[in-house]
Amino acid sequence: MNDQQVMHAMNIDDAYHVERTLASGMGGVTELVTLDGSGPFVRKRIPSKLARRGVWVMLAECACPRLPHVEATYEMPDEFVVVCDYVPGQNLEELVRSSGRMGEKDARQIVSQLCEAAGALHAHNIVHRDISPRNVIVAADGAHLIDLGIARFRSEDATHDTTQLGTVGFASPEQHGFAQTDARSDVYSIGRVLGYLLTGVMPEVPDAADYERALSDEGVVSPRMRAVIDRACALEPSARFQSAAELADALSGKGEPSSSSAPTSGEKNLGAPPAPVSPVTSPAPRAASGGRGGASLVRVVGGLVVLLALLAGIVLVLQGTGVLEMVLGAGDTAQSSQPAQPDRSTGQGDAAGAGATGGSVTDAPVPVENPLEVVESGWSVDGQGFVHYAFGLRNNGDLQVLYPGVTVTGRDASGGVLFSQEQILSVVPAGQTVYFSSLAGSGSVPETVEVTPIQPEDYNVGPEADTAATFTISGLRAVSNGFGGYNFVGEITTDKAAGADDFGSQVAITVILRDESGAIVYGSTDFASRPDAGQTAAFEVMAMGDLPAYASMEAYALQW
């Protein structure tokens, strides 16, 4: 952008008045804004490197009343900004919590409207990828599907998505990295929403078993609705309804669950992509035979054995609360400025700094059979009440752990839970420690934040594959972002390329801030393009919220 374009964008940006911040995370900031007394509007500030501009351009051309209406888009130096109309109402999660589970008639109506919104996206070759109760607003005129932050165009040439994102419990199995998402992925999510509305139970741990029991209870869900949900949520995409319109027809009684795969009129066929052709180099969970989870089948090299897909196990290990942000490969941790101190078991937030508060961190004991250990963690709270936490997760075993995770729980002074979410990573090699950070909370300052390792499933623990890239980070420093805050910049060098190229082309870079005692007080994770082996590239990590007082900083890289 030239100086004139920057000034024009800043003038537009300044014209909006921020009423309040609705959400903030690694994917950007969502604000409620007004413009010269008109509005309110929803403004999404998306980091430039994560923005899918084409999706928003296409959405501006879409006339479906159940999708956000784009009022304006503009480019800031480091952000792509979208302004949409504001839809007053409750999201489905709030509605069910306050009113209880829905009757069949109301649930069918809302889900049929969701199918209308999803079908309009699919007709433009867009997959939403995050249809969940929080992203459905119920207004006076019915349901509205919002938040296209991770929506993407379907590519005929891709075998799987570059990044694996979605709301755990509602994200389709293929969103975990073993096939490309398509219209049927959204159908799966809509089916899970239908199950949630009828049962009032979240289809995720710790409630997953209760959800299945409620779904099987004919006094709660009729056999006909159960059949529709089962068909929509089949693990194998070809066994699902092949379009949102087909699901809507089944709900209305116009159609019954069948094996037809023909797209309904008005929707493009966004069918399943071809199966990956290099199964032995993908970092999917391993069966005892050494096979690989795929979109439908597991192939063992040489074509001697064909096994059923391992997707059921993959779904189980990834069930949890919060937003799934998965990575398909991991590099050795690389640091700059200060050495890591992996022997510490706790960290303490620093109350100093602009708007920052903190408290003690308690890392729960690790079961003997669990090779994962949270070696250190810490947090602080910014002026808007968001908790910025970071942790180091070590694998003490002799085998690598795929899809390791932690549960992050914030408690008040009485021990009551303020928030709880799971953070799933890609892999921790044997004997190594990886670092990651994220946001939590909703305005209430916790007294403690517990970071607890999740017991890995047996099929996710096995011999290491030569697939992890390694990196070195240099020149790490904080610089002003020009808006009263700071970003972290530096350079990353790929020392060793990954053993397979299908992990994606990015690196997650986590910056850790420590106080004078060496305890973690803040973390921020952002993404950069992965340089080729032996090459170096510059990166920038956005500092979300106010920074607490700190004495040192360091950075770690994880292949994305």
Side-chain angles (χ1 to χ4, degrees):
M1 298 176 63
N2 59 40
D3 292 343
Q4 186 175 2
Q5 291 172 321
V6 171
M7 290 301 299
H8 178 65
M10 291 181 66
N11 288 336
I12 296 175
D13 201 64
D14 290 341
Y16 289 96
H17 175 71
V18 178
E19 302 294 334
R20 60 189 174 97
T21 298
L22 301 176
S24 179
M26 289 184 293
V29 178
T30 303
E31 303 165 322
L32 188 69
V33 299
T34 54
L35 178 63
D36 294 331
S38 62
F41 306 101
V42 174
R43 181 169 67 180
K44 296 185 69 66
R45 313 182 72 92
I46 306 169
S48 296
K49 65 188 74 175
L50 300 181
R52 294 174 172 87
R53 294 164 178 80
V55 169
W56 294 104
V57 170
M58 189 66 70
L59 186 63
E61 301 173 359
C62 183
C64 179
R66 308 218 169 271
L67 292 171
H69 174 68
V70 178
E71 301 284 349
T73 63
Y74 54 92
E75 295 275 357
M76 295 292 284
D78 299 310
E79 297 174 321
F80 177 72
V81 184
V82 182
V83 181
C84 301
D85 61 334
Y86 172 73
V87 179
Q90 285 184 300
N91 67 42
L92 284 181
E93 184 174 345
E94 295 169 337
L95 192 60
V96 170
R97 282 182 176 177
S98 61
S99 304
R101 67 185 183 88
M102 290 187 181
E104 191 171 297
K105 180 180 177 181
D106 290 339
R108 281 203 316 264
Q109 181 179 11
I110 285 178
V111 172
S112 295
Q113 293 167 347
L114 272 184
C115 289
E116 178 186 351
L121 291 176
H122 300 161
H124 290 84
N125 207 32
I126 297 172
V127 187
H128 188 283
R129 298 203 300 167
D130 198 15
I131 299 178
S132 66
R134 292 183 181 180
N135 287 337
V136 180
I137 299 295
V138 180
D141 61 344
H144 294 252
L145 179 60
I146 63 170
D147 198 348
L148 276 76
I150 66 170
R152 67 183 288 271
F153 287 106
R154 183 180 184 276
S155 170
E156 295 296 335
D157 299 326
T159 58
H160 58 264
D161 294 4
T162 301
T163 56
Q164 287 66 56
L165 301 168
T167 299
V168 179
F170 297 89
S172 65
E174 54 269 26
Q175 285 179 252
H176 303 156
F178 309 109
Q180 185 187 184
T181 49
D182 55 41
R184 300 168 302 179
S185 306
D186 285 344
V187 166
Y188 179 98
S189 300
I190 295 173
R192 299 286 267 190
V193 170
L194 175 59
Y196 169 68
L197 295 181
L198 293 174
T199 63
V201 182
M202 281 287 182
E204 56 190 22
V205 291
D207 302 324
D210 293 337
Y211 170 80
E212 291 298 334
R213 281 192 291 269
L215 205 60
S216 301
D217 186 345
E218 293 186 9
V220 177
V221 180
S222 70
R224 183 178 178 279
M225 283 295 100
R226 173 63 191 261
V228 171
I229 294 169
D230 285 348
R231 171 74 186 279
C233 300
L235 287 177
E236 168 57 52
S238 64
R240 301 174 198 156
F241 299 105
Q242 299 298 290
S243 69
E246 189 178 327
L247 170 56
D249 285 346
L251 287 171
S252 66
K254 296 179 182 178
E256 295 296 331
S258 67
S259 58
S260 171
S261 61
T264 303
S265 175
E267 291 194 36
K268 295 185 179 180
N269 187 350
L270 306 185
V277 296
S278 303
V280 295
T281 58
S282 175
R286 291 168 176 79
S289 62
R292 173 189 189 265
S296 60
L297 295 178
V298 176
R299 293 187 180 181
V300 177
V301 178
L304 298 178
V305 182
V306 179
L307 301 175
L308 291 177
L310 299 176
L311 289 175
I314 296 165
V315 172
L316 289 175
V317 75
L318 293 174
Q319 295 297 316
T321 58
V323 175
L324 178 66
E325 296 177 347
M326 286 195 57
V327 217
L328 289 185
D332 296 334
T333 55
Q335 66 183 35
S336 173
S337 182
Q338 293 292 326
Q341 301 179 40
D343 293 335
R344 281 187 295 270
S345 60
T346 60
Q348 181 170 334
D350 194 325
T357 60
S360 63
V361 173
T362 304
D363 299 329
V366 184
V368 174
E369 67 275 17
N370 190 344
L372 300 178
E373 176 189 6
V374 176
V375 294
E376 62 173 333
S377 60
W379 57 281
S380 59
V381 180
D382 64 23
Q384 296 175 334
F386 290 102
V387 175
H388 299 256
Y389 67 84
F391 60 89
L393 184 65
R394 181 173 177 79
N395 179 2
N396 291 317
D398 298 325
L399 301 173
Q400 75 172 6
V401 177
L402 288 166
Y403 308 122
V406 300
T407 300
V408 181
T409 304
R411 299 182 183 275
D412 59 23
S414 67
V417 175
L418 294 176
F419 61 82
S420 182
Q421 66 183 45
E422 288 189 358
Q423 183 68 60
I424 305 296
L425 306 184
S426 58
V427 61
V428 184
Q432 293 193 23
T433 302
V434 298
Y435 282 79
F436 205 76
S437 67
S438 191
L439 291 175
S442 58
S444 298
V445 178
E447 181 71 19
T448 62
V449 176
E450 303 169 357
V451 184
T452 309
I454 299 171
Q455 175 70 42
E457 299 290 345
D458 291 344
Y459 48 76
N460 279 337
V461 180
E464 294 184 18
D466 186 23
T467 55
T470 59
F471 309 92
T472 297
I473 292 177
S474 59
L476 180 66
R477 62 192 182 100
V479 297
S480 171
N481 62 13
F483 299 96
Y486 291 88
N487 289 339
F488 305 103
V489 298
E491 292 185 314
I492 180 171
T493 301
T494 301
D495 301 319
K496 170 194 167 189
D501 291 331
D502 59 349
F503 289 92
S505 59
Q506 293 186 311
V507 178
I509 299 176
T510 298
V511 173
I512 301 292
L513 302 184
R514 299 181 184 273
D515 62 17
E516 292 183 353
S517 71
I520 295 175
V521 293
Y522 179 92
S524 183
T525 298
D526 214 326
F527 302 89
S529 297
R530 172 172 55 86
D532 294 333
Q535 301 298 308
T536 299
F539 69 82
E540 182 176 33
V541 175
M542 297 178 63
M544 307 297 293
D546 307 316
L547 295 183
Y550 66 95
S552 65
M553 70 176 75
E554 59 206 41
Y556 301 85
L558 187 69
Q559 183 159 337
W560 184 262

